Amino acid sequence: MDKTTAGGLAGVWGLVALAIVLGGAGFGAYVDIPSVIIVLGGTASVTMGQFEGDALSRFGKAVGIAMNPVKFEPTNELIEKIIIYATDIKKNGVMSVETKIQDESNAFFKEAFNLL
């Protein structure tokens, strides 16, 4: 989980706790165990009922992927690549970058130039 996700979750729970404390009733008025069981258990049961078993078995892996930070190239490097390719295409034509694209590590650029 990246820092912004953790910070956002902590901020949300902090604001909820602050609202409860400032409300004056304390935490006890907001905690009802049977209601929590009905809401969480019902949500899990309905979710399980809507998906096949093999799809549910992939749930943990999907959550792990969603919580990991996305790896991407720095913006400056992408802009430099675009400028280099655009200059080369303008000078020599689209076919001049065909061999360079085969060695490209960025999947987006590779697919985009293959569509040209």
Side-chain angles (χ1 to χ4, degrees):
M1 182 181 317
D2 62 351
K3 294 176 185 175
T4 55
T5 303
L9 289 173
V12 165
W13 286 110
L15 289 173
V16 168
L18 179 65
I20 289 172
V21 170
L22 293 177
F27 285 103
Y30 293 95
V31 178
D32 183 29
I33 299 301
S35 297
V36 171
I37 292 171
I38 289 171
V39 169
L40 296 180
T43 301
S45 298
V46 168
T47 302
M48 288 173 56
Q50 292 298 314
F51 293 98
E52 304 263 341
D54 62 335
L56 288 174
S57 65
R58 295 188 309 259
F59 176 74
K61 184 178 179 182
V63 170
I65 290 170
M67 290 300 185
N68 285 329
V70 177
K71 296 177 179 105
F72 55 89
E73 291 183 56
T75 307
N76 293 340
E77 290 179 17
L78 292 175
I79 291 172
E80 287 177 23
K81 279 185 183 182
I82 291 171
I83 291 171
I84 290 169
Y85 283 130
T87 304
D88 196 18
I89 289 171
K90 188 172 183 180
K91 287 181 182 176
N92 305 317
V94 176
M95 299 305 283
S96 64
V97 295
E98 187 174 6
T99 56
K100 294 178 185 177
I101 292 303
Q102 301 307 321
D103 300 330
E104 179 62 51
S105 61
N106 189 312
F108 176 78
F109 279 146
K110 196 174 228 180
E111 181 67 24
F113 283 110
N114 281 333
L115 292 174
L116 289 177

